Amino acid sequence: MTQPILPVDLLDLDKNGHLLHTDGRTTVPETDIARHLEHHLRLREDTTDIFVFVHGWRTKPQDALYHARILFGHVESLATAQPQVYPRLRGFRPQYVAVRWPSRDTKLLPIDYDPVKKRTQTMSEDGHVARVLGAILGYLNAHRDTPEPGPETLATAYGQYLHCIGHSFGSRVLLHGILEASKRLADRGPETLAWDFTNSTYPWTLDSLTLFQPALPADAFTHEPFTRILDPNLLNAPVAMTYSPADTALGKLHAKKEDQVAIGHLGASAPEDHIAEITLQAVTSRYVFARDKRLLNVDASKLYIAKKLVVGAHSDFYHPESSHLLLSLANSAR
């Protein structure tokens, strides 16, 4: 029997970070973003967890949705096969969103690195992608039942949990969106199309953040803008970041372009007092996450080992063990 195709909601961004209509060509005016999200991101009432995935460098448009379905397919399979490993995910009913953006240039590797990095910066730093991602996160929050706070022993807290996942340069795009949403919450309330907060607190949270092989300098969290992730913001979880020395794209190539290797090659190096180290676990093993560290280096060197020309193991993370990490973080968020 043919397995049904996993439903994943797809949102497209152009090279400047503008949200696109489903035709993939025309941009959605800012005044129409609310209507567009309302039509394409209908949050189900029975959803317990929302996963938002931003793909990485050199992902072909036709591959973005395919890869998202692989990653989320493992989430579905593991949650069904071993619910005892995630005891707090009772009645688990996830919903998936993939954000697609032009992450490759027409040039060949390694020449492609610089134009895609520049595109990522342009998309993020001019505010367009940050506003759109902030709007997406805010929209999802506006349409979900926020988890009720409770003691550590409350294993079945009611609510809909929000999880974000980024890969490679997609990690940069995603971090900018989180910082933008945090800034708007703190300033005058986010332009999230439904909320109008006027205080400086964070009335909603992002419940987990996982960055697979992030294309960020090893000391990125000591410099603007990413050092602000260490300040109070809407992220109510550690930044879990996988790394593998077999990721040659983030080793020699990244070092040549940015004078140091990337987090996805050897992990974040600074600030040391904010960092905890763990190993990517087998799917049947349970995680113990540090509660007092903001940055979580996840050593994936035993599994992410593919030897593709130039990039090495840069995209070798679509394994059940990666989705086990996502589920374990979701479980820990309860």
Side-chain angles (χ1 to χ4, degrees):
M1 180 180 294
T2 303
Q3 292 293 325
I5 296 176
L6 184 69
V8 177
D9 295 313
L10 182 64
L11 295 173
D12 280 301
L13 305 178
D14 69 9
K15 64 181 180 180
N16 294 313
H18 293 284
L19 189 63
L20 292 174
H21 284 290
T22 54
D23 61 13
R25 297 187 300 274
T26 57
T27 60
V28 178
E30 289 194 9
T31 54
D32 291 340
I33 290 178
R35 189 180 304 111
H36 186 85
L37 295 180
E38 181 69 40
H39 183 71
H40 292 284
L41 293 182
R42 292 187 178 276
L43 189 58
R44 301 190 306 267
E45 290 185 4
D46 66 344
T47 293
T48 61
D49 293 76
I50 308 146
F51 293 86
V52 180
F53 176 53
V54 182
H55 67 76
W57 183 39
R58 292 188 63 80
T59 300
K60 297 178 182 178
Q62 62 268 31
D63 289 340
L65 187 56
Y66 172 74
H67 288 158
R69 286 192 170 121
I70 292 176
L71 186 67
F72 294 141
H74 291 318
V75 168
E76 295 273 322
S77 298
L78 289 173
T80 300
Q82 52 181 37
Q84 73 281 0
V85 179
Y86 321 107
R88 298 186 173 194
L89 300 186
R90 299 178 184 178
F92 183 64
R93 290 179 295 277
Q95 193 163 339
Y96 307 112
V97 179
V99 178
R100 186 166 59 183
W101 59 285
S103 64
R104 59 187 286 130
D105 197 65
T106 56
K107 300 175 182 177
L108 300 175
L109 280 169
I111 303 172
D112 194 41
Y113 186 94
D114 285 328
V116 173
K117 175 190 172 185
K118 183 177 180 180
R119 179 175 301 161
T120 305
Q121 292 173 328
T122 299
M123 289 173 63
S124 302
E125 293 174 1
D126 69 4
H128 289 303
V129 74
R131 282 194 293 272
V132 170
L133 283 175
I136 292 169
L137 297 181
Y139 167 82
L140 290 172
N141 179 73
H143 288 70
R144 67 172 174 162
D145 291 315
T146 308
E148 297 175 358
E152 178 65 21
T153 56
L154 183 58
T156 57
Y158 175 74
Q160 295 172 305
Y161 291 78
L162 180 57
H163 314 285
C164 282
I165 306 111
H167 170 228
S168 183
F169 281 120
S171 299
R172 296 193 186 207
V173 174
L174 187 53
L175 286 172
H176 277 283
I178 293 168
L179 290 171
E180 177 70 9
S182 295
K183 177 178 180 294
R184 291 172 185 236
L185 280 167
D187 288 349
R188 298 181 56 185
E191 294 176 13
T192 56
L193 320 170
W195 294 82
D196 186 22
F197 298 112
T198 58
N199 58 57
S200 60
T201 61
Y202 296 92
W204 57 278
T205 62
L206 177 60
D207 301 300
S208 78
L209 174 61
T210 308
L211 307 180
F212 290 112
Q213 303 306 107
L216 293 159
D219 66 353
F221 294 101
T222 64
H223 303 288
E224 287 287 342
F226 303 117
T227 187
R228 286 186 274 128
I229 286 291
L230 304 177
D231 298 331
N233 60 69
L234 61 81
L235 176 61
N236 190 32
V239 185
M241 305 168 289
T242 67
Y243 70 90
S244 172
D247 186 339
T248 51
L250 299 184
K252 292 182 180 179
L253 180 57
H254 192 279
K256 181 179 180 180
K257 299 294 184 178
E258 304 202 31
D259 299 323
Q260 62 175 305
V261 297
I263 290 175
H265 185 69
L266 291 177
S269 62
E272 292 184 10
D273 57 332
H274 286 275
I275 298 174
E277 300 275 348
I278 65 171
T279 300
L280 189 70
Q281 297 292 310
V283 296
T284 55
S285 299
R286 297 192 184 187
Y287 282 92
V288 176
F289 297 113
R291 294 284 179 177
D292 60 342
K293 301 295 184 181
R294 191 59 154 169
L295 306 175
L296 196 60
N297 282 333
V298 184
D299 182 356
S301 58
K302 292 185 178 180
L303 184 62
Y304 299 177
I305 57 174
K307 296 181 179 179
K308 292 189 176 181
L309 185 65
V310 181
V311 300
H314 185 58
S315 295
D316 187 25
F317 70 94
Y318 295 101
H319 299 281
E321 290 82 356
S322 300
S323 297
H324 174 51
L325 175 62
L326 299 180
L327 281 165
S328 298
L329 288 164
N331 181 74
S332 180
R334 265 67 172 171

